Amino acid sequence: MRAVLVVNPKATTTSERSRDVLVRALRSEVDLSVRYTRRRGHATALAREAAEEGVDVVVTLGGDGTVNEVVNGLMAAEPPTAPGALPPAERLPALATVPGGSTNVFARALGLPGEWPEGTSMILEGLRLGRYRTIGLGRADDRYFTFCAGFGLDAAVIHRVEQARRKGRVSSPGLYLRAILSQYFFASDRRHPAISLERPGEAGQGELASAIIQNTAPWTYLGDREINPNPEASFDLGLDVLAFRQLRVPSTARTVTQFVSGHPDPHGRQVLRLHDVAEFTLLSSRPQAFQLDGDYLGEREKVRFTSVPAALRVIC
């Protein structure tokens, strides 16, 4: 079995020594090539090259951003044509994810441990047993995402956190909380919702203030606590949406408290919830912050979202 390990050398929770341990462990199971990312977006190119070389597995060592780039590289690849006209997911290399970031939402949503040593052990067992599952992905315009997207407030918060991290701040729940409060109270136009949601064959929904899109649950973690705006979201279904109609303090605080506390059905008069949606478009009368898998991608006025079922095999 041929495999490529794509390493983000700046991964938050790993060191050179731990990477060496991982490489030795993987080489005990597979014919391994190791490739290091050098810049943002490089993992996408490395994954695409690996798929077009016909490798069996691509392993990531990094956080959710590295996973997202690798998934986009795999989905953009044109792998060697396999005999028997196999389904697309069967023609692509399988993905294995060793958690190396600060949160590792994708890996944990798959049931992998949050720490890289335990995650490595589980992946090695999966490789030995040929154990994998086929998952669906989300797509926003021409880019894929694995677990979440955001249009509005949550993406703006991620932008603030990224700016703080570039200045040397350490990612932590406290940093995110301060970013949320600053963005909500001082930088959001909460009085004038500008977003609308359109679905084929359905009546549109207008005057929305912010939207959270999930391809699985949870949306993220606060330490060990799952944060779940859309608890029924699943890799095996379409996309789930929670949109705020207003960002007034009482209603927003009530809804956020529901999904932070693990309420099975976050709801409220100012909340729009959609489950298992195949396709929809978000439009805004003014530019909105936009993120995929916790990676800020700038501002957009329109994004088309689609569910891509049974897109990728994942070792777990």
Side-chain angles (χ1 to χ4, degrees):
M1 181 183 292
R2 295 171 58 211
V4 167
L5 172 63
V6 177
V7 178
N8 177 359
K10 297 181 180 179
T12 306
T13 59
T14 62
S15 64
E16 185 175 354
R17 181 178 179 183
S18 62
R19 291 195 291 270
D20 290 342
V21 170
L22 171 63
V23 168
R24 289 197 296 271
L26 288 172
R27 281 187 170 147
S28 70
E29 299 293 333
V30 296
D31 177 9
L32 185 71
S33 172
V34 182
R35 301 174 189 181
Y36 290 86
T37 63
R38 295 193 297 270
R39 60 188 179 277
R40 184 169 179 168
H42 191 200
T44 298
L46 294 176
R48 181 170 183 168
E49 290 171 6
E52 292 175 350
E53 290 168 8
V55 305
D56 301 292
V57 181
V58 174
V59 186
T60 66
L61 177 59
D64 291 311
T66 303
V67 174
N68 180 278
E69 289 190 12
V70 165
V71 166
N72 275 275
L74 293 176
M75 297 302 292
E78 298 180 3
T81 302
L86 294 171
E90 299 291 332
R91 296 199 298 267
L92 292 171
L95 172 70
T97 300
V98 178
S102 57
T103 311
N104 305 305
V105 178
F106 177 68
R108 294 162 76 179
L110 288 169
L112 295 171
E115 303 296 328
W116 75 265
E118 293 81 5
T120 299
S121 296
M122 193 166 175
I123 287 169
L124 290 172
E125 181 181 74
L127 289 170
R128 284 193 295 269
L129 299 176
R131 183 180 64 212
Y132 67 88
R133 65 180 290 192
T134 302
I135 66 169
L137 298 172
R139 187 168 63 208
D141 291 337
D142 59 353
R143 181 158 174 169
Y144 294 87
F145 60 98
T146 63
F147 64 92
C148 82
F151 194 66
L153 178 63
D154 80 305
V157 169
I158 286 171
H159 187 208
R160 280 181 175 264
V161 171
E162 288 185 357
Q163 289 177 319
R165 292 184 67 179
R166 283 195 290 270
K167 295 176 182 177
R169 302 288 296 278
V170 176
S171 179
S172 67
L175 178 60
Y176 276 92
L177 179 59
R178 289 189 292 274
I180 290 169
L181 294 175
S182 296
Q183 184 65 35
Y184 180 80
F185 285 107
F186 304 115
S188 296
D189 187 354
R190 294 183 281 119
R191 297 180 180 274
H192 303 97
I195 301 169
S196 61
L197 185 151
E198 297 182 355
R199 287 191 289 167
E202 301 282 347
Q205 299 281 345
E207 295 188 339
L208 304 174
S210 188
I212 293 170
I213 300 94
Q214 288 177 238
N215 185 51
T216 190
W219 171 52
T220 190
Y221 289 85
L222 186 61
D224 292 329
R225 182 190 295 272
E226 294 184 355
I227 309 299
N228 252 331
N230 295 291
E232 296 181 323
S234 170
F235 286 126
D236 301 319
L237 299 173
L239 301 174
D240 280 27
V241 182
L242 183 145
F244 294 90
R245 298 185 187 278
Q246 301 281 343
L247 288 174
R248 296 171 180 165
V249 174
S251 60
T252 303
R254 184 165 52 249
T255 303
V256 170
T257 299
Q258 287 178 352
F259 56 71
V260 169
S261 64
H263 194 286
D265 181 27
H267 62 279
R269 292 177 58 189
Q270 301 300 332
V271 170
L272 169 69
R273 289 271 308 279
L274 300 174
H275 174 59
D276 191 14
V277 182
E279 177 185 344
F280 64 94
T281 300
L282 294 177
L283 305 99
S284 178
S285 59
R286 59 177 181 269
Q288 298 287 337
F290 171 58
Q291 65 91 4
L292 294 180
D293 287 345
D295 188 12
Y296 177 71
L297 297 178
E299 294 185 334
R300 304 282 180 89
E301 294 181 3
K302 179 180 179 180
V303 183
R304 177 174 177 263
F305 291 89
T306 52
S307 172
V308 186
L312 192 64
R313 292 176 301 139
V314 182
I315 304 293
C316 55

